[in-house]
Structures are given as C-alpha cells and as structure tokens.
C-alpha cells in the first residue's frame, strides 16, 4: 500500500482536463459519488472563496463511523478562514487499514482529477480511529503538509523522520488524553515539529474554535518559513495567542496556561522579543497554585495508568478470550474507581471519566461483535457490565 500511495501522490503535479461540474460553493454536499468505485461517496465543501482558476489548499478528513458530513461540518470555520477544500469519505471507518487505504486512494484519484489543489497545502485530519488513519496516511506518504489528530494518536504507522507538521487536539476528559500527552513527549524527543492543544471536553470532535486554533498554528509555521518573514502577520498570531494565555490565567486554568506558555515561547522566540514573557513563565512555574494543579494532574495520570492496565487486562481475559466473567469483581473495581469522584479534586474526577469511557468503548465494541455472532450468554454479561459502568444506560439484547 505504501508504494501505491507514493505513486498516486507523485502524480499530483500533473495537469488534468477538468470537464466535471464544480459543485456549489459554501454548501455541504453530503453524498458526492466517487466515479469508478462500487458506490463509494464522500462529503465535499468548497469555501466561498474557492476559484477554479487558482490552486486551493485541501483537507482530507476521516470519521471513525463513515459520517462524512459530520466530519466536514466540524471544519467549516477553518475552511472559510483559510480557503480549505474539505473532503470526508462516507465509507472509510474504523476497521482494516488496507480497506481504508484503498478507499483513500480512490478519493485521492477522484479529487485530483477535477479540482486545482496546492501541492504544498494538503492537510489530513480525523477523529478517534479516523485520527489514527490520518496519521498513518501522512506517515506512509510523507507528502502532506500536516496532520490534525483529534482525540487519538497513532497506529503502528507512526511519524518518525517525515517532514509534516502535527497538531494533536484532545479533551482532558477524553479516554485518550494520557496517550496524547505521551505522543507529544515522543514527538518532542525525536524533534518532530508538533504541538498539543487540550481543553475541557470528553471524547468527541473538537469545536470549530479549537479546529481554527490548530490551523492557526499550522499556518503560523508556514509564515515563519518565509523569507523575509511577514512580521506583522506573525504579530497578529502572537497577540491572539497571548490573549488566550491571559484568559487561561484569569480563569485559573493553569494546566492550559502552562501549555499555552510553552507553545508561545517555542513558536515566537526566534521572531518576537519574548524576554518578559519568559520571566513571567519562570515565576508562574514557581507559583504555589500552578504546582498544586500540576501535582494533582500527575497524581491523577498515575492512578489512571494503574486502573487502565488492570481493567484492560481483565477485560481481554474475560470478554475477548471468552472465559468466565466475574461481574462481582467488576462491581467492586468500578465502585473503587467511582469513589475518586467524591474527592475534592477536579483532576481525579476527570480521571474517572476517562477510565470509565475507555472501558465502555471496549464493552460496546464487544457488544456489537456479539450481536453479529449471536453470542447470547456473553452478550448478557457485556450488557450487565455496561450497566455497571453507566447505570442509566438503556440496552436491548
């Protein structure tokens, strides 16, 4: 599959005869046919600024559940700000990578046969399993300018020596929050240009505002590569970033403030005088309030890792390997976990949300499989586990 991707992307610079009708601009077209396929479709959005006579940037989006219009609508605000063409498959979803790679290739062939695309502004994004797929495609091809990974990190196809940019977006109640922090540490270690933007949310598509923040960061990196550098434009981004920092400080969101401090200093220190900001950051890190919040987060992540390891291992043994299920054990462990919610510690409360949803996703995935294979006895146990995790859930066998 790697060679087929490379062959396809090497052809992007060819000039095609574009005889196809260009869909209406400023409208989400939720079911555009991919010619030459067995009924494959995708959602398409052309920004209002789109012109057939100029090259346009494009963003390929991957949804974990093949809902193209849902994926596209998340990016409309960024599309209009940066002139991005948006395309999201209605067929690609969580599942075998070879199948998804083939669907991606079909869509690539189609898009580049009738739209004028800027070769150095091709981006790729996705949510959850779609995020892993997006990173895999970028890593295998190394011909995309950047990845916006939402709510999940990498598959076995990880960034290493490629030259694209990477933005992670993740809620701090998302089950993959700890993973996204680990991924950032890995990328920093190998000096891969990246950033991680976190916010208060669970496992869901980011808001349009967070998507815009991601693309602001991507386009800032492009501006910094220009010679001469457009200082006035960079200053505009800097002002926006410092306003955001001040908002975090005023609201007491010191974990988010710390993240923003680090990003600003890294992004602007070679362009703008930031000595005073460095001094402010030094004092901020020594403050009692920040130390307390950072300690609470580290403690919560440590407890989370222990719970995740224990529950995932037990789930694999009892449900995936089809051994005897001990529901009393699950009740006890989840009661112990829920006890952290009663503590006056916001980070522990977020930790409980992350662990419970991680287990729910695994149980729900197992339930869907059992419904297809008619595993009645095991299905009953999975349904009971889901009720232990979320007592208010309503399921029908």
């Amino acid at each position: 599959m790697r060679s087929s991707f490379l062959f396809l992307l090497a052809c992007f610079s060819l000039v095609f005869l574009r005889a196809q009708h260009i869909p209406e601009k400023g409208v989400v077209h939720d079911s555009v046919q991919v010619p030459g396929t067995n009924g494959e479709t995708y959602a398409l959005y052309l920004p209002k600024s789109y012109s057939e006579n100029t090259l346009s940037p494009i963003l390929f989006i991957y949804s974990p559940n093949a809902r193209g219009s849902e994926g596209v609508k998340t990016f409309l605000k960024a599309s209009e700000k940066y002139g991005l063409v948006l395309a999201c498959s209605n067929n690609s979803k969580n599942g075998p990578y070879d199948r998804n790679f083939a669907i991606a290739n079909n869509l690539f062939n189609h898009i580049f046969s009738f739209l004028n695309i800027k070769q150095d502004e091709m981006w790729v994004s996705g949510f959850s399993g779609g995020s892993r797929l997006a990173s895999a495609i970028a890593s295998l091809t190394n011909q995309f300018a950047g990845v916006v990974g939402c709510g999940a990190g990498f598959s076995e196809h990880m960034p290493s020596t490629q030259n694209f940019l990477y933005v992670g977006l993740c809620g701090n109640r998302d089950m993959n929050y700890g993973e996204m922090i680990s991924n950032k540490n890995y990328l920093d270690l190998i000096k891969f240009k990246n950033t991680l933007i976190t916010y208060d949310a669970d496992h869901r598509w980011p808001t349009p505002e967070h998507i815009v923040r991601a693309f602001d960061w991507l386009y800032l990196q492009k501006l910094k590569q220009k010679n001469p550098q457009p200082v006035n434009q960079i200053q505009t981004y800097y002002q926006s970033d410092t306003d955001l920092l001040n908002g975090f400080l005023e609201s007491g969101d010191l974990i988010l403030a710390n993240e923003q401090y680090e990003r600003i200093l890294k992004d602007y220190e070679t362009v703008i005088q930031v000595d005073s900001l460095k001094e402010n950051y030094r004092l901020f890190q020594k403050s009692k309030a920040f130390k307390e919040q950072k300690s609470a987060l580290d403690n919560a992540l440590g407890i989370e890792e222990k719970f995740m390891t224990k529950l995932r291992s037990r789930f694999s043994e009892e449900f995936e390997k089809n051994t005897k299920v001990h529901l009393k054990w699950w009740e006890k462990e989840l009661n112990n976990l829920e006890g952290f919610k009663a503590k006056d510690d916001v980070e522990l409360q977020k930790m409980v949300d992350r662990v419970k949803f991680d287990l729910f996703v695994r149980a729900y995935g197992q339930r869907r499989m059992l419904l297809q294979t008619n595993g009645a006895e095991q299905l009953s146990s999975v349904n009971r586990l889901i009720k232990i995790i979320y007592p208010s859930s309503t399921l029908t066998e």
Side-chain angles (χ1 to χ4, degrees):
M1 184 55 61
R2 180 184 176 92
S3 59
S4 62
F5 268 145
L6 290 175
F7 174 78
L8 171 68
L9 292 171
C11 297
F12 280 0
S13 60
L14 296 177
V15 176
F16 294 90
L17 295 175
R18 294 175 171 82
Q20 298 185 45
H21 169 70
I22 301 299
E24 182 181 355
K25 295 182 288 185
V27 174
V28 176
H29 304 274
D30 59 11
S31 190
V32 181
Q33 295 289 325
V34 180
T37 66
N38 187 22
E40 291 176 18
T41 66
Y42 67 104
L44 175 69
Y45 184 81
L46 302 179
K48 296 171 186 176
S49 61
Y50 177 81
S51 171
E52 298 177 44
N53 300 318
T54 59
L55 298 176
S56 295
I58 188 167
L59 172 68
F60 290 97
I61 307 161
Y62 295 96
S63 165
N65 48 18
R67 295 175 183 169
S69 61
E70 180 182 54
V72 162
K73 289 174 182 177
T74 306
F75 293 83
L76 294 181
K77 189 171 183 178
S79 172
E80 292 299 341
K81 181 172 183 177
Y82 289 106
L84 299 166
V85 172
L86 306 177
C88 185
S89 172
N90 286 317
N91 302 93
S92 178
K93 59 183 178 180
N94 288 352
Y97 271 62
D98 285 348
R99 174 182 179 276
N100 285 325
F101 288 158
I103 292 169
N105 259 339
N106 291 338
L107 183 54
F108 292 156
N109 277 320
H110 167 60
I111 288 289
F112 287 94
S113 73
F114 83 106
L115 295 177
N116 289 310
I117 301 301
K118 295 181 73 172
Q119 191 167 346
D120 64 344
E121 287 189 37
M122 299 185 300
W123 315 97
V124 61
S125 182
F127 168 63
S128 195
S131 175
R132 300 187 196 281
L133 176 61
S135 295
I137 290 172
S139 296
L140 287 171
T141 64
N142 196 27
Q143 296 200 40
F144 285 87
V147 174
V148 179
C150 308
F154 312 131
S155 66
E156 65 272 21
H157 306 294
M158 298 175 63
S160 55
T161 60
Q162 299 89 347
N163 58 9
F164 59 84
L165 303 167
Y166 182 87
V167 183
L169 288 173
C170 189
N172 55 20
R173 299 178 188 273
D174 191 309
M175 61 189 181
N176 294 322
Y177 177 68
E179 174 194 342
M180 295 295 278
I181 292 174
S182 297
N183 286 349
K184 182 183 187 303
N185 292 338
Y186 159 73
L187 294 176
D188 287 344
L189 182 65
I190 64 173
K191 301 188 184 306
F192 199 100
K193 185 160 284 191
N194 78 100
T195 196
L196 173 63
I197 298 172
T198 66
Y199 40 88
D200 189 20
D202 54 19
H203 190 65
R204 64 183 68 191
W205 283 98
T207 66
E209 290 72 26
H210 290 123
I211 295 293
V212 169
R213 283 184 65 191
F215 276 93
D216 285 348
W217 185 85
L218 291 169
Y219 275 90
L220 171 63
Q221 310 314 308
K222 288 180 66 67
L223 287 178
K224 289 165 61 179
Q225 296 301 313
K226 290 187 176 182
N227 188 16
Q229 291 179 331
V231 177
N232 288 341
Q233 288 179 268
I234 293 173
Q235 183 70 45
T236 299
Y237 281 103
Y238 177 75
Q239 185 61 56
S240 177
D241 276 332
T242 53
D243 287 346
L244 192 59
L245 169 62
N246 290 332
F248 292 144
L249 292 171
E250 290 171 6
S251 64
D253 294 325
L254 303 187
I255 299 299
L256 299 184
N258 183 66
E259 179 185 290
Q260 187 70 359
Y261 259 126
E262 289 182 349
R263 185 164 30 250
I264 292 174
L265 291 173
K266 188 174 183 179
D267 284 341
Y268 298 101
E269 63 179 351
T270 61
V271 186
I272 295 173
Q273 179 59 254
V274 292
D275 286 350
S276 61
L277 193 68
K278 282 183 179 180
E279 176 60 16
N280 290 342
Y281 185 40
R282 185 185 69 81
L283 296 174
F284 168 83
Q285 287 191 304
K286 294 175 67 174
S287 68
K288 180 180 178 181
F290 170 67
K291 287 181 177 179
E292 287 178 348
Q293 286 194 23
K294 181 65 165 58
S295 177
L297 174 60
D298 291 342
N299 178 59
L301 290 172
I303 296 172
E304 176 179 334
E305 184 177 5
K306 292 177 182 177
F307 265 105
M308 289 280 204
T309 300
K310 184 196 307 184
L311 298 182
R312 287 173 178 176
S313 175
R314 187 83 176 213
F315 185 87
S316 175
E317 185 66 29
E318 293 191 352
F319 291 95
E320 295 173 348
K321 296 180 181 178
N322 201 23
T323 62
K324 183 178 179 180
V325 175
H326 298 81
L327 290 170
K328 290 293 184 182
W329 184 90
W330 288 101
E331 288 179 350
K332 178 182 176 182
E333 289 299 320
L334 287 165
N335 281 336
N336 290 339
L337 176 65
E338 194 67 28
F340 287 101
K341 277 270 193 176
K343 297 182 182 295
D344 187 22
D345 186 323
V346 173
E347 294 302 333
L348 287 177
Q349 293 166 8
K350 294 174 185 175
M351 178 274 295
V352 173
D353 290 343
R354 295 192 293 264
V355 175
K356 287 176 63 176
F357 195 72
D358 179 82
L359 182 59
F360 169 77
V361 168
R362 294 171 190 278
Y364 193 77
Q366 189 73 5
R367 180 178 187 273
R368 291 183 63 183
M369 185 272 291
L370 291 169
L371 285 170
Q372 295 174 351
T373 59
N374 198 28
E377 182 178 348
Q378 195 77 350
L379 178 61
S380 176
S381 295
V382 170
N383 284 341
R384 290 171 68 185
L385 175 60
I386 291 174
K387 290 289 287 185
I388 294 171
I389 302 168
Y390 295 128
S392 62
S393 60
T394 55
L395 298 171
T396 56
E397 297 187 12

